[in-house]
Amino acid sequence: MVSRAPRSAAARRSWGEDDTGCTILHVDMDAFFVSVELLDRPELRGRPVIVGGDHRGVVAAASYEARAFGVHSAMPAARAKILCPQAVVLPGRHDRYGEVSREVMSVLSEVTPVMEQVSIDEAFLDVAGAVRRMGRPVEIARWVRQEVHRRCGVPASVGVAASKHVAKLASTHAKPDGLLLVPADATVPFLHSLPVGALWGVGEKTQEALERHGIETVAQLAATPVTVLHQTLGVAAGQRLHELAWGRDARQVQPTRVEKSVGTETTFAEDVTDRAHLEKMLLRQAHECAARLRAEEMVAWTVAIKVRHADFTTLSRSRTLQAPTDLAHDINAAARALLAGVDIPTAGVRLLGVRAERLAPAATTGVQGALDDDPQRALAERAMDGVRARFGSQVVRPATLLDNKRHSAFNSASGDLS
């Protein structure tokens, strides 16, 4: 997690020009959803723009003009409108964002096959094998920014460093639309200029725990005896943060990521008290998850649901299946059973989500389904995939959903296959 605290002057300045050994690039699209929207609506450039979140949803992205008023992603839309009432609010268009993301990743793949896409709008590159062909790492970073902007029309910030952790921090401090090199011998001074919340993996609770011990900067964390960090955060987390504070990060760029989960969640236009309506939404979400599992040739061992009440209380429940699946029938059955154990408050449910977890390649699971499984069910769902691929996602759906008149205010298909 990168701290939202203001950047120090030290973090903003150039950290040198020697890129020897700095072969890791972190490429991060600036306000990506907004940048894509501005491609199609250039008349909005220079104005505060918010993507996602009508009066019921949350902010998915905000332009830098909106951020100047304190608006940020994951903020309730109602709060964002109070802070910046003049903002233009646009609905999210995940298909369009995915389209531009694929164009960007295609550009990056021309640099090196050693590329790790970590989300729709960011990726790591190890350019060690591209230096002879394309020049020094900083020259490659300049090429990446230029080509992404020229071909895809969106700005990209790039961090160049000797490790993934520092490259990611560098790209954050290069924003907007910039490039920052942190030379290998400047790694520790750079890190020690930052607030402790900048370290990868320091969330709100961890930051609060550290601050209770007077640790507010990375430099202070680095100077803290590791035994104290073990007692404060646990051995694993304390050791990891101590290593990162001293610039030690042995993680390599992984060309293929092991997918851990795929899911979707919906914020309702109005709080829902009708359990039957919630079950209908679970069915729709189960089909979305299953279709994406099959597209990725993955199966899931665990199904989880997320339920957010009208007062923002959020519950999570999960269940491990007897056998892995990529079928909506199985995902929906598990999700409905989980929902049955959740009380629906009088004020209703604000958000509902389904997630398939503990993924494994479908071809390598070696697990046989139950003896009473209906093979026609799998054939039917795969036939639906083919029809949707040819004629669109709304052409065919379960009969139960045909009379579903109510719909979400903002649907977040978090296919972060994260």
Side-chain angles (χ1 to χ4, degrees), residues 276-400:
H277 180 63
L278 295 175
E279 290 176 347
K280 191 173 292 186
M281 180 59 70
L282 284 181
L283 177 60
R284 196 197 79 177
Q285 293 174 334
H287 274 278
E288 290 182 13
C289 288
R292 286 164 52 203
L293 285 174
R294 292 190 293 269
E296 296 291 332
E297 298 183 348
M298 305 292 283
V299 290
W301 279 95
T302 299
V303 173
I305 65 169
K306 180 165 77 171
V307 183
R308 178 168 295 156
H309 295 171
D311 64 358
F312 282 87
T313 300
T314 304
L315 308 175
S316 297
R317 301 287 187 269
S318 65
R319 168 175 293 188
T320 297
L321 307 175
Q322 292 184 340
T325 188
D326 60 2
L327 298 181
H329 174 272
D330 302 332
I331 296 172
N332 181 58
R336 284 189 62 166
L338 291 169
L339 184 64
V342 175
D343 292 330
I344 306 303
T346 303
V349 170
R350 177 185 181 88
L351 175 149
L352 184 66
V354 173
R355 183 166 290 275
E357 301 176 340
R358 290 182 58 206
L359 306 192
T364 61
T365 54
V367 178
Q368 181 176 336
L371 293 177
D372 59 353
D373 279 353
D374 182 358
Q376 296 302 315
R377 185 175 293 129
L379 292 174
E381 291 198 25
R382 285 171 173 78
M384 290 169 63
D385 292 342
V387 174
R388 289 177 180 136
R390 184 173 181 181
F391 298 107
S393 61
Q394 301 303 314
V395 170
V396 59
R397 68 184 71 180
T400 308

Side-chain angles (χ1 to χ4, degrees), residues 156-194:
S157 292
V158 182
V160 185
S163 69
K164 292 173 72 173
H165 178 229
V166 178
K168 181 174 176 65
L169 289 173
S171 70
T172 298
H173 289 285
K175 289 177 177 288
D177 196 16
L179 186 159
L180 179 63
L181 162 69
V182 180
D185 60 3
T187 294
V188 172
F190 169 73
L191 288 170
H192 289 189
S193 75
L194 303 176

